[in-house]
Amino acid sequence: MAHEQAHKLAIFRGNLKFKSNVSKIWGVFVVLSIITIIEVALGILRPDFLVTHKFLSLNLLNWIFILLTICKAYYITWDFMHMRDETVGLRRAAVWTGVFLIAYMVLLILIEGDYIYEVYKNGFIKFNF
């Protein structure tokens, strides 16, 4: 079982090792703080080239926020929720469930958003059943 093993005291696939759990917690805190400081700095500065350039109809600054937030969420789950110590099946079940739920929600938002756009554009839409 995963609970019988000792906690791993390394992060970044063993590239950074710690001597105790307390030092590891502080190391993880520093990593997450650096990512948060980058997000806050970008939010305050709002560089023009990141705001004006778009990718998939969303400006680059928003994409950076989304990616950094996903990285933090993954890292919190991996380290603080001890997913690295669990079996492969449990890790996949947790990850794939989230992936499919997010994909489903995005699909629903796109379908409903398109419907609302069409209603505002053309007025009332009557369906022929």
Side-chain angles (χ1 to χ4, degrees):
M1 288 177 86
H3 300 291
E4 295 172 2
Q5 299 172 356
H7 291 290
K8 297 176 183 172
L9 296 176
I11 59 174
F12 299 122
R13 297 188 182 221
N15 292 329
L16 185 59
K17 296 179 182 176
F18 298 99
K19 295 179 182 175
S20 69
N21 282 332
V22 174
S23 63
K24 182 180 179 189
I25 289 171
W26 281 107
V28 171
F29 173 74
V30 168
V31 169
L32 293 174
S33 296
I34 290 171
I35 295 173
T36 303
I37 288 169
I38 292 170
E39 285 179 333
V40 170
L42 286 174
I44 291 172
L45 297 176
R46 293 180 50 94
D48 288 334
F49 68 93
L50 291 177
V51 175
T52 56
H53 290 85
K54 296 198 179 283
F55 177 70
L56 295 176
S57 72
L58 196 62
N59 63 27
L60 292 178
L61 186 62
N62 287 349
W63 281 112
I64 291 172
F65 286 149
I66 291 169
L67 291 175
L68 288 176
T69 303
I70 290 172
C71 287
K72 284 194 319 187
Y74 171 80
Y75 194 65
I76 288 168
T77 304
W78 186 255
D79 218 324
F80 285 121
M81 296 175 70
H82 306 289
M83 287 299 278
R84 69 182 181 284
D85 298 330
E86 298 298 338
T87 61
V88 175
L90 180 64
R91 287 192 305 228
R92 287 183 182 161
V95 170
W96 285 112
T97 302
V99 167
F100 287 126
L101 286 175
I102 290 170
Y104 178 67
M105 291 300 297
V106 167
L107 179 70
L108 285 178
I109 288 170
L110 290 174
I111 291 171
E112 293 297 321
D114 183 57
Y115 174 76
I116 292 170
Y117 172 76
E118 291 295 327
V119 167
Y120 281 133
K121 181 179 171 190
N122 300 327
F124 179 71
I125 295 177
K126 181 179 176 184
F127 286 107
N128 295 327
F129 290 105

